[in-house]
Amino acid sequence: MMRSALALLTVVFLASGANAQEVGALVTNNTGDTAWVLAASALVLMMTLPGLVLLYGGLVRSKNVLSVALQTGAVASIVSVLWIVVGYTLAFGDVGNGWFGNGRAWMLIELTNLRGGTTVPESTFVLFQMTFAMIAPALMIGAWVDRARFSWVVIFCALWSVAVYAPVAHWIWGGGWLASSFGTADFAGGLVVHTTAGVSALVVAVMMGRRRGFPDKPLIPHAPALTMVGAALLWVGWFGLTGGSAMAATDDASSAIINTHVAASVAALVWLLIERINFGKPTAIGWATGAVAGLATITPAAGYISPGAAILFGALAAVVCHFAVLQVRRWGIDDSLDVFAVHGVGGILGSLLLGLFMSSALGGTGYPEGVTPAGQLGAQALGVAAVALWSAVLTGILALAINIFSPMRVKKKHEMEGLDISSHGERGWHFTD
């Protein structure tokens, strides 16, 4: 009788659709929230595979398109394995000293039925966060196309995901020192993903040096149509990145997606306008770059601000990131696909603007109790400084250390031949009569 009564109680509880809670010793999840986060995980995965493959593949010369695709696939694969082994527990293990998570979830051996503070299983949370860990190092690939050695790329990105990405994720999302002690906020990765990847990409671009012929010889993208398709996939996938970060199928998720979409739309249009004024013609690559700049800029704030503020975020993203692209090139740095200028600067810009537009007076969600606009802006600035410094220093150390036994750059003759043939013995395209 007792067993039957408990079973009946469990069935009634599950049928009610209530949020996660305890029934005796039983803890269940909200199936609607879980389904949404699982779907969002697939959308974020699509951003890397195939989104970045197409975006970056179209921007390089035809002799290097396959190398970009393979680097992206290999990085996504090895980071996924490392996330299971050690990355997740460093980022989201139980809080210890505020810098790294503890070893509770090493190899995912002790996952809980529910991730604390959510209504979804911890395994669902692991999967969702894995897709973030994958795209962050994959973004950096755009900084060294045409000239990086494949083995160096894979080793560097693998170690970077453990030494740079995982600790920063813990500082902000895992209960670490930036969030708990200073209140630094990042809704979906402006600091954790875009600032880490953007700053690190700039450091590597400086260390690796310019491509042969840059900037005197035009290095023309071979397939802008592929770039537009890749950007479109990123745009759709970004709905999972920001909407999924709400961790529930609620108004928070839909509001974040609306803000994401409008910011990307405005940024793409403003970028086209800038091109029309400066160069006489709007371009497909300009539309794609503008959209991605808007997406990167809205990411840290998507769930905290109003749609009206998101319009402003998009417009500023296009203006500031366009200026950053030109400035990096004036410095003579060959950040080949503008990773720092678009993702790094966009993530930093959005993180700082968040400090102002979180205000309820401007339609935002409001500041935590006792926090002023100046205080939140200071917390965001501290977060930007800490994340940028950590990313730059650790990136330099890792890049140099790996270069000792696996040189970061291919030989001149291999670069001239193209990495598709020289590094992989294949061609991205085969044309026949």
Side-chain angles (χ1 to χ4, degrees), residues 61-63 65 222-223 226 420 427-433:
R61 290 168 289 179
S62 59
K63 63 183 179 180
V65 59
H222 88 285
L226 289 185
D420 288 2
R427 293 188 185 278
W429 313 107
H430 290 274
F431 298 101
T432 58
D433 295 333

Side-chain angles (χ1 to χ4, degrees), residues 222-282:
H222 88 285
L226 289 185
T227 297
M228 279 202 71
V229 173
L233 287 172
L234 280 171
W235 192 325
V236 175
W238 227 287
F239 286 11
L241 186 128
T242 55
S245 293
M247 282 292 132
T250 61
D251 176 67
D252 291 341
S254 54
S255 296
I257 291 173
I258 289 171
N259 289 337
T260 299
H261 184 66
V262 72
S265 299
V266 171
L269 291 172
V270 173
W271 199 289
L272 291 177
L273 178 61
I274 293 172
E275 286 191 325
R276 179 68 177 83
I277 294 172
N278 289 347
F279 311 116
K281 295 180 180 178

Side-chain angles (χ1 to χ4, degrees), residues 145-228:
V145 296
D146 294 357
R147 61 200 188 279
R149 189 180 297 271
F150 180 74
S151 58
W152 181 90
V153 169
V154 175
I155 297 169
F156 170 76
C157 288
L159 295 180
W160 185 91
S161 73
V162 174
V164 176
Y165 179 84
V168 171
H170 183 74
W171 298 353
I172 299 173
W173 292 339
W177 67 278
L178 273 178
S180 62
S181 298
F182 297 96
T184 302
D186 182 2
F187 189 76
L191 288 172
V192 177
V193 175
H194 296 284
T195 301
T196 56
V199 171
S200 296
L202 185 68
V203 171
V204 173
V206 171
M207 296 176 67
M208 191 170 290
R210 307 172 185 176
R211 289 168 291 177
R212 309 289 176 185
F214 178 90
D216 302 321
K217 179 181 177 182
L219 303 174
I220 301 174
H222 88 285
L226 289 185
T227 297
M228 279 202 71

Side-chain angles (χ1 to χ4, degrees), residues 362-374:
L362 298 174
T365 57
Y367 299 107
E369 185 177 354
V371 177
T372 64

Side-chain angles (χ1 to χ4, degrees), residues 27-28 31 71 78 96 110-111 123 183 225 234 237 260 263 270 277 309 319 369 378 381 401:
V27 180
T28 63
T31 54
Q71 286 179 27
I78 195 166
E110 290 188 21
L111 297 185
S123 58
L234 280 171
T260 299
V270 173
I277 294 172
V319 173
E369 185 177 354

Side-chain angles (χ1 to χ4, degrees), residues 229-401:
V229 173
L233 287 172
L234 280 171
W235 192 325
V236 175
W238 227 287
F239 286 11
L241 186 128
T242 55
S245 293
M247 282 292 132
T250 61
D251 176 67
D252 291 341
S254 54
S255 296
I257 291 173
I258 289 171
N259 289 337
T260 299
H261 184 66
V262 72
S265 299
V266 171
L269 291 172
V270 173
W271 199 289
L272 291 177
L273 178 61
I274 293 172
E275 286 191 325
R276 179 68 177 83
I277 294 172
N278 289 347
F279 311 116
K281 295 180 180 178
T283 67
I285 291 175
W287 176 88
T289 307
V292 173
L295 292 166
T297 303
I298 197 62
T299 296
Y304 298 131
I305 64 172
S306 69
I311 292 175
L312 179 61
F313 271 58
L316 289 175
V319 173
V320 174
C321 291
H322 190 276
F323 171 80
V325 168
L326 299 179
Q327 187 60 48
V328 170
R329 292 175 183 173
R330 290 190 192 102
W331 290 338
I333 299 173
D334 188 10
D335 178 3
S336 309
L337 307 185
D338 304 315
V339 180
F340 172 73
V342 174
H343 294 279
V345 171
I348 291 170
L349 175 64
S351 297
L352 294 175
L353 289 175
L354 165 61
L356 299 175
F357 287 90
M358 185 186 286
S359 170
S360 57
L362 298 174
T365 57
Y367 299 107
E369 185 177 354
V371 177
T372 64
Q376 190 64 53
L377 181 59
Q380 298 306 114
L382 175 64
V384 167
V387 170
L389 181 62
W390 179 268
S391 301
V393 172
L394 268 292
T395 293
I397 293 172
L398 288 175
L400 288 175

Side-chain angles (χ1 to χ4, degrees), residues 4-18 23:
S4 299
L6 180 59
L8 178 61
L9 180 60
T10 302
V11 170
V12 172
F13 170 78
L14 292 175
S16 70
V23 178

